[in-house]
Amino acid sequence: MARKSHGKPAPDPDWTTGADHQDRRADRRRRGCLPWLVLLGAFALLALTGAVYEARTSRLQAWAFTRMARGFHFELRPGPSDSILFPDAGPYDVRLGYTRIPAMSSRLDTLGFELTAQARLSPQLFDAIRMGAYPIYHLKTAAGLEVIDRSGHEVLDERFPAHAYTRFDSIPELLWRTLLFVESRGFLDPDHVRRNPAVEWDRLVRSVGELGLKAVGVDRNVPGGSTLATQIEKFQHSPDGLTRTPEDKLRQMFTASLRAYAKGPNTLDERREIVRNYLNSVPLAAQTGHGEVIGTADGLWAWYGVGLNDVNRILRSEPRDSAGREAKGSTYRMVLSLLLAHRRPSYYLVRPEGRADLGDLTDAYLGLLVGDRVIPRWLADEARRARTSVKPLSHEPARPTPSFIDRKAQNLVRSQLLSLTGVGSLYDLDRLDLVAYSELDMQWHQATTRVLRALSEPAFLAANGMAEPRLLAKGDPRKVLYSVTIMERTPQGNAIRVQTDNYDGPLSLSAASRLELGSTAKLRTLVTYLEVIEELHQALAPLSPDSLRAMAGARPDNLTRWAIDYLIENPDATGEAMLDAAMDRRYSASPRERFFTGGGVQTFANFDRKYDRQTIEVREAFQQSVNLPFVRIMRDLVAYEIGRAGIGRAIDAGSDSLRQEYLTRFAEREGGQFVREFYRKYESLAGPDVFGMLVRDRHLGNTRLAWAFRTVAPDADETLFAAFIRENAPDDRLSDAALAALYRRTDPSAQTLADLGFLARIHPLELWVASYMLHHPEAKLQEVLDESHEKRVQVYRWLFRTRRRNAQDQRIRTILEIEAFQEILGRWRRVGYPFRNIVPSIGTAIGSSGDRPDALADLAGIIMNGGLRYPTATVEEVRFAQGTPFETRFRKKHPKPARVLSEAVAGVVHTAMLDVVENGTGRRAKGSFVAPDGAALVMGGKTGTGDNRFNVYGPRGGLIESRVTNRTSTFVFFAGDRYFGVVVAYVPGRDAGDYSFTSALPTQVLRVLGPRLEGMRGG
């Protein structure tokens, strides 16, 4: 019987409430997800197991990185590369110059070199670098500047670091095991041949975790995750050798991994190389006298003064006595301290408190090393007792230092490479990964150096006929300095084969000195004289005889008058004939005339007095090096330049207005030219450099120096004035009272600018420009020209007042002579004169302006080459980063010579120089050079002797004192049609008074040297 319901139906056994239904559905879902959770857990466990396995075996990494690096290569091909990338940072890349190659390439291109070959990267390597990897290639353990001569002989070979391990087997086991204990235990485990040396997973995971906590605000000290491999990448290629961002770290790890697997999946050999590279490249601060210290071996030398061979021997030894154990303990302490110091090298090695901390840290590690059985306890005890300490910064490790004489060739090439590369110092240059091929001939250079050294030996002098009058019969031969330069004309220009001297200092007597080389100045004077004659022929030959006679009536200068007379008598004469006739002109050789020149009256003497009463031809005066004819030739050249400017006639004009007109025109035209020249001279100079340029290469007495200084800096106090005078005055014995009186006496406020120029014997416009640039160092040329307008006119106009006409004319002549010598200087500079000023005295014809030996040799080359000037070089080819992905090679282009003299003028001078050797003062040099076939090369040259003295005269003109300042003798020459050069003998200072040698000395030196220069070709 059915039960009755009380208003509600009975519950269905298969029906539940909503809540129960939801619970049942959730239960079914849990039962359905369980397999997936199990599967996911299995996958996670599998992934974790795989990660652990991968971390232990690196199989996947080995496969992936080996596959990626398989296509990494590069090759050198001709011409510029379209697939090359240069690094932009990293201490290794900066030191070796890889970051500078683009800038150096641009510079070389402008200096006459062409890019001949460059590296091409494979697409895979190119893409990897673009993705962020550092270039993958075999890094150089040591590199530096290498210089090769024309025959393949070594000139220079710098290697940095100087001390390094060349292979893993050369490292003592005790050293590399200690390193691995400190840095990466198990790094060389042979059971894990595929191990990725760029990652140590436990250290990496710990570092990442700590870094994450720090990112969310937890103050944590993040440990380093670097391995030996990533540390190498860091301190070689990361900016400043630091890891600044996570991206830097990833880049290091990525590159180190690629580098490790570049040769295949087995990395054991590569890990050994990493240990070696680490020891060779770890940075260890910088040491005074050594520079940047790179690598453990270099560190032992620089910081402890011990050699690598000794360290290796001691570390490998098994000492049998207390002395041996003590030595090993001391050496081991040094090694361990350096392995620890790399963490903060500038602190641990440089600062006193850092050295103390380094000692404590070393002691602590000695205990750990004993506990881990890396070293025996006795070694730790000996190391603790060892009294070793880092050397003070004044320490310079003892090592042989070659003399400057032995490094003349190297320094010559380095000097040019500084210019070619634009590198700021020799220190940086020597560390570039650069091979330079030089034009030098080291066999010739060494033979020359041996002769120069032997010239101080009495036996050698006697055997070679040099202990004779006019040679070295008087004076100490050890005090004579010699300089030799020999060049050869080649398709690449003038090649320096030899440039050396016996001065044991960094200065090159040939390339970095200004010496009074005596009568060799007659060579420049003769060239200028013949140029003027040629100009006169070109200007006057087209004129009719009547026109020439009309010009003769206008009282021209002597040279113009002679040219007019010659062309009237020889209307069809060629330029060559007129030049030859000019060599036949006669000049008086009398020394009795007093010459107004250089702002005063001077007299001159002949070396050989037999010519004092003669009037001789120019060619004979050149052949026998007679002074007075050339003094008078120079006077004629000055008169020619004054007449050419036109203002000379203003001196004799009867009308003041005409004088004013000439002056104004002259000031506007010529003054502007001089302001431009002086602006270029002082541009970019400031403060003391302005004064240095003002007096450089000038021989000014105390008073003239004072006027110059006070004109340029009228507001300067007595302290600056006194310092300037004492630094530059020929008389350094001035008292403070004398300097104070000189300061008061040279007050410029009461003088005009032209007066000041006269008093200082410096062009007044140069004084004004120097002063303006001192006070306005940023001024541009147009500003200076605008500001100088009034001064340019004023400098000359005041002289033309009628009062005291004779005195005014004298001053006009002084200034006109200065102007004329500026024109002569321009002519000399065009044929290689190296200086920017010249002594405005006709004594310049016989050497008073000085010269530089290599520039004089350059002039001989111009004459030998028929008036063509070839550029001079010591470097033919440069190769940057040889054997790397950055390799770039440059070679000097074949230059186009510049014509600086006409062929006719050069030919006449060439003949005159041949005559000097054949019949004149250079006879001793005849036959000095012999070609391989035994034939003597035909030689020409010019001799010169400088007996340079400082003379003091009394008020009546009497000589009070004659003090010797130096003595020089010179022979500039050419041999055949390819070789040319110069030899100089020089005694500086008062010792020069003990000698009587003449130009016979350098000609004899050349005669002794010539047979020793093997391989000279005929020409």
Side-chain angles (χ1 to χ4, degrees), residues 781-979:
L781 175 60
Q782 191 57 50
E783 176 188 338
V784 177
L785 286 170
D786 293 343
E787 293 293 328
S788 69
H789 176 77
E790 180 182 346
K791 299 296 181 182
R792 279 183 277 153
V793 177
Q794 183 190 98
V795 159
Y796 302 100
R797 181 173 289 169
W798 74 274
L799 291 171
F800 290 84
R801 299 169 187 163
T802 57
R803 185 182 177 187
R804 299 184 64 188
R805 192 180 189 90
N806 289 338
Q808 292 164 5
D809 285 352
Q810 185 183 78
R811 294 194 176 193
I812 292 171
R813 288 188 178 94
T814 298
I815 291 180
L816 291 177
E817 186 179 47
I818 293 173
E819 305 289 2
F821 271 102
Q822 288 294 321
E823 296 299 324
I824 292 169
L825 173 62
R827 294 177 183 273
W828 283 24
R829 283 180 62 82
R830 192 178 69 253
V831 291
Y833 188 70
F835 304 113
R836 301 180 73 87
N837 55 55
I838 195 172
V839 177
S841 163
I842 58 178
T844 285
I846 56 175
S848 63
S849 284
D851 213 326
R852 201 173 69 203
D854 67 343
L856 195 59
D858 189 29
L859 177 58
I862 291 170
I863 294 164
M864 184 190 74
N865 293 325
L868 296 175
R869 185 182 187 188
Y870 288 83
T872 300
T874 52
V875 175
E876 176 186 2
E877 183 180 3
V878 290
R879 299 180 180 180
F880 296 107
Q882 200 162 266
T884 76
F886 323 117
E887 183 168 357
T888 304
R889 298 183 178 184
F890 279 87
R891 191 174 185 85
K892 190 168 181 59
K893 298 176 184 176
H894 285 219
K896 294 181 179 179
R899 178 158 295 283
V900 294
L901 286 178
S902 72
E903 193 170 358
V905 168
V908 173
V909 180
H910 188 274
T911 300
M913 293 178 71
L914 290 173
D915 195 29
V916 168
V917 175
E918 188 67 28
N919 304 301
T921 56
R923 288 189 299 272
R924 192 183 290 263
K926 186 176 179 180
S928 294
F929 294 108
V930 179
D933 62 1
L937 299 184
V938 177
M939 290 188 66
K942 181 68 190 80
T943 59
T945 300
D947 180 20
N948 305 303
R949 297 172 177 269
F950 183 78
N951 294 329
V952 180
Y953 295 90
R956 296 184 180 181
L959 181 64
I960 297 175
E961 179 188 2
S962 180
R963 186 170 70 247
V964 175
T965 57
N966 61 67
R967 187 176 187 87
T968 62
S969 62
T970 308
F971 182 59
V972 57
F973 65 91
F974 57 78
D977 62 2
R978 298 174 65 166
Y979 300 98

Side-chain angles (χ1 to χ4, degrees), residues 89-100:
Y92 179 89
D93 301 305
V94 171
R95 184 175 72 251
L96 272 60
Y98 300 157
T99 61
R100 304 182 186 186

Side-chain angles (χ1 to χ4, degrees), residues 148-400:
I148 309 297
D149 84 340
R150 66 164 171 167
S151 301
H153 297 108
E154 178 185 291
V155 179
L156 180 68
D157 188 10
E158 297 284 358
R159 295 288 170 179
F160 298 93
H163 311 86
Y165 288 104
T166 56
R167 63 188 192 282
F168 179 79
D169 291 341
S170 66
I171 306 171
E173 182 176 352
L174 180 58
L175 172 55
W176 65 256
R177 287 194 180 279
T178 302
L179 170 65
L180 297 187
F181 177 83
V182 172
E183 293 293 335
S184 182
R185 304 171 197 182
F187 187 78
L188 293 182
D189 186 350
D191 294 333
H192 298 91
V193 296
R194 293 183 178 82
R195 175 174 176 171
N196 184 353
V199 184
E200 289 188 9
W201 293 101
D202 54 343
R203 295 171 64 178
L204 180 63
V205 170
R206 187 167 65 253
S207 296
V208 171
E210 297 289 352
L211 188 64
L213 292 174
K214 187 174 182 179
V216 298
V218 179
D219 187 16
R220 307 293 291 187
N221 180 25
V222 181
S226 297
T227 65
L228 290 176
T230 56
Q231 286 189 68
I232 293 173
E233 301 297 335
K234 176 184 69 175
F235 53 63
Q236 288 195 335
H237 306 299
S238 290
D240 299 321
L242 301 173
T243 304
R244 290 194 170 93
T245 66
E247 289 79 7
D248 288 343
K249 176 58 65 178
L250 289 174
R251 189 177 189 188
Q252 295 160 15
M253 294 173 63
F254 181 51
T255 305
S257 299
L258 288 171
R259 205 183 300 279
Y261 292 107
K263 296 179 182 178
N266 188 329
T267 64
L268 185 57
D269 288 340
E270 183 61 27
R271 279 179 275 155
R272 292 192 180 102
E273 279 298 291
I274 289 171
V275 170
R276 185 180 70 88
N277 287 337
Y278 181 90
L279 289 171
N280 286 337
S281 58
V282 61
L284 293 171
Q287 168 68 291
T288 300
H290 183 92
E292 187 179 14
V293 181
I294 302 295
T296 307
D298 235 24
L300 289 166
W301 177 260
W303 289 110
Y304 290 108
V306 296
L308 183 60
N309 291 337
D310 290 336
V311 170
N312 291 344
R313 176 179 54 80
I314 293 172
L315 291 184
R316 289 194 178 101
S317 68
E318 294 295 336
R320 298 180 180 180
D321 55 25
S322 60
R325 288 193 295 271
E326 183 179 341
K328 188 163 184 175
S330 175
T331 301
Y332 185 73
R333 184 178 185 88
M334 296 177 195
V335 169
L336 177 59
S337 68
L338 288 181
L339 295 179
L340 298 171
H342 88 274
R343 301 171 183 180
R344 297 175 64 192
S346 296
Y347 172 73
Y348 282 134
L349 297 173
V350 177
R351 296 172 59 178
E353 64 272 25
R355 295 174 194 163
D357 289 346
L358 179 61
D360 294 340
L361 183 62
T362 303
D363 288 338
Y365 262 87
L366 287 171
L368 296 175
L369 286 159
V370 171
D372 213 52
R373 299 184 179 181
V374 177
I375 62 174
R377 183 170 297 280
W378 70 262
L379 181 57
D381 293 340
E382 292 291 348
R384 287 193 184 95
R385 286 193 293 267
R387 296 182 178 274
T388 61
S389 61
V390 173
K391 304 297 182 182
L393 289 181
S394 60
H395 164 69
E396 294 187 15
R399 53 180 171 178

